């Protein structure tokens, strides 16, 4: 491969820094070779208390993997992905270059627009056609998306309330959360005050209580117009969670394209008893990876800023070849 391919792979790894991750921990590392891009997990940025098995770490890495692929496609690079059962988590191999598809270039622009919005959503419901587009995006990304009906949303509300109470009562979990949220965080990571509501919104399905008061105006609305969905799949192994992250990224970009917001709710999959309850909600047809709140943002008020990112030199290594 030419130096141009290596440069494209480096740019793809750089674009992947924009991917969402649990508490913005960014638990990934890339190694750029002349013909391939290798993705590794970084256990030092794993949430050991909330994510002891590394499920959400791998999901986060999967989102980064999808971001990198979107970046390569936007430049016209055809590529193949290997997902070994171990490390590296994934290997992207470029095959050849073709003229870029305008649609792929548009998707790349969405990487820079996508962000997490913890404000209350507007009173405008997510149109059925948009919900179906997100279901389709999840399937194309390697997972499935089940949009909850009203009774299931009420069950979810109780489930999240129980999960929140259990986690707030666990001193080790609370201490871990405090390391990534608010003013004192590892540089370039975590959730700053500007993206955390000043007070918890009054909603049927509670948002995570981070234990700190941010500076983001939460809004005066409610979640009555929001849709809730469970991202799930057939397996519960490491590879399944990686693919779940790829699907999450695909769903989020599709939502951004259609003017919808996505708020991941991970607390019900962090605890065994709520994860089992979610699986029963799916009639035991799959394993839940994440709960998503879908909504339409209030266009009259500016959204929160993007969360910080680690510098490229901390997450991207250029192999000596």
């Amino acid at each position: 491969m030419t130096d141009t391919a290596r440069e494209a792979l480096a740019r793809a790894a750089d674009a992947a820094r924009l991917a969402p991750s649990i508490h913005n921990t960014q638990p990934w590392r890339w190694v750029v070779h002349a013909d391939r891009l290798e993705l590794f997990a970084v256990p030092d940025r794993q949430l050991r208390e909330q994510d002891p098995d590394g499920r959400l770490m791998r999901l986060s890495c999967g989102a980064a993997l999808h971001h990198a692929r979107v970046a390569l496609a936007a430049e016209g690079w055809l590529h193949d992905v290997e997902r070994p059962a171990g490390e590296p988590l994934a290997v992207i191999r470029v095959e050849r270059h073709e003229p870029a598809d305008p649609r792929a270039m548009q998707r790349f622009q969405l990487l820079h627009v996508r962000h997490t919005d913890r404000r209350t959503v507007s009173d405008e419901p997510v149109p059925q056609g948009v919900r179906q587009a997100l279901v389709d995006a999840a399937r194309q990304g390697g997972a499935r998306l089940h949009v909850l009906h009203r009774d299931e949303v009420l069950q979810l509300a109780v489930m999240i309330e129980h999960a929140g109470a259990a986690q707030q009562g666990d001193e080790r979990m609370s201490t871990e959360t405090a390391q990534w949220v608010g003013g004192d965080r590892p540089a370039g990571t975590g959730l700053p005050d500007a993206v955390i509501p000043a007070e918890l919104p009054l909603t049927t399905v509670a948002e995570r209580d981070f234990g700190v008061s941010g500076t983001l105006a939460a809004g005066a609305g409610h979640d009555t117009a929001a849709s809730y969905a469970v991202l799930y799949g057939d397996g519960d192994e490491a590879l399944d969670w990686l693919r779940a992250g790829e699907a999450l990224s695909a769903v989020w970009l599709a939502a951004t394209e259609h003017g919808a917001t996505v708020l991941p709710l991970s607390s019900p999959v962090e605890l065994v008893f709520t994860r089992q309850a979610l699986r029963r909600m799916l009639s035991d047809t799959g394993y839940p990876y994440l709960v998503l709140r879908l909504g339409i943002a209030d266009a009259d008020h500016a959204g929160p800023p993007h969360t910080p990112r680690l510098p490229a030199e901390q997450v991207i290594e250029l192999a000596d070849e």
Side-chain angles (χ1 to χ4, degrees):
M1 287 289 173
T2 66
D3 289 341
T4 303
R6 182 185 174 96
E7 292 166 359
L9 290 167
R11 288 192 295 271
D14 187 61
R17 294 191 302 122
L18 300 173
S21 58
I22 177 69
H23 292 6
N24 194 29
T25 49
Q26 303 163 59
W28 50 69
R29 178 174 66 88
W30 296 95
V31 178
V32 182
H33 296 268
D35 64 341
R36 68 191 186 279
L37 183 60
E38 296 176 340
L39 170 63
F40 295 84
V42 180
D44 287 348
R45 293 198 289 275
Q46 177 183 346
L47 301 177
R48 295 291 179 176
E49 300 299 330
Q50 296 167 57
D51 185 32
D53 297 318
R55 289 183 171 94
L56 293 171
M57 177 182 67
R58 293 183 183 89
L59 184 145
S60 300
C61 289
L65 173 59
H66 184 265
H67 271 46
R69 297 189 66 189
V70 168
L72 285 172
E75 292 193 24
W77 285 99
L78 300 182
H79 58 275
D80 182 58
V81 181
E82 300 172 15
R83 300 173 182 84
E87 292 283 340
L89 296 180
V91 179
I92 303 176
R93 296 184 186 275
V94 290
E95 297 176 342
R96 65 181 187 277
H97 187 265
E98 294 184 348
D101 182 347
R103 170 70 175 150
M105 298 170 65
Q106 180 186 24
R107 291 182 73 206
F108 175 73
Q109 294 302 318
L110 295 172
L111 299 186
H112 298 82
V113 178
R114 182 218 64 80
H115 67 289
T116 303
D117 193 341
R118 293 180 173 81
R119 298 177 299 163
T120 54
V121 298
S122 71
D123 294 331
E124 179 185 354
V126 180
Q128 172 59 35
V130 174
R131 294 200 299 270
Q132 184 58 51
L134 304 189
V135 169
D136 295 341
R139 185 179 299 108
Q140 293 166 7
R144 284 174 282 172
L145 190 69
H146 171 63
V147 180
L148 305 182
H149 56 67
R150 177 169 175 77
D151 289 345
E152 290 174 328
V153 170
L154 296 177
Q155 294 177 45
L156 174 66
V158 174
M159 202 180 302
I160 287 184
E161 181 180 356
H162 289 166
Q167 291 182 320
Q168 290 172 34
D170 188 313
E171 184 176 349
R172 292 178 302 179
M173 283 193 177
S174 299
T175 299
E176 181 177 67
T177 298
Q179 295 172 350
W180 296 94
V181 175
D184 223 6
R185 296 163 288 108
T189 64
L191 306 177
D193 291 337
V195 303
I196 300 173
E199 55 186 9
L200 285 176
L202 298 176
T203 56
T204 303
V205 178
E207 294 185 22
R208 185 191 287 269
D209 185 351
F210 289 108
V212 299
S213 295
T215 59
L216 177 66
H222 204 273
D223 63 348
T224 51
S227 296
Y228 288 85
V230 179
L231 184 69
Y232 73 104
D234 295 331
D236 193 27
E237 302 300 324
L239 177 58
D240 300 305
W241 284 83
L242 183 74
R243 294 304 302 265
E246 295 177 71
L248 171 65
S249 175
V251 168
W252 213 322
L253 294 185
T256 303
E257 179 182 11
H258 290 285
T261 66
V262 175
L263 176 62
L265 302 174
S266 62
S267 61
V269 301
E270 294 168 11
L271 301 173
V272 173
F273 76 95
T274 47
R275 197 161 62 242
Q276 290 174 340
L278 270 180
R279 191 169 184 217
R280 288 194 295 271
M281 187 181 291
L282 297 170
S283 302
D284 292 327
T285 58
Y287 294 87
Y289 304 131
L290 207 59
V291 174
L292 305 178
R293 185 195 73 180
L294 311 172
I296 303 297
D298 185 349
D300 294 333
H301 297 86
H306 290 272
T307 49
R309 288 298 185 269
L310 289 166
E313 56 268 23
Q314 287 190 228
V315 294
I316 303 173
E317 174 188 342
L318 300 178
D320 293 328
E321 294 176 335

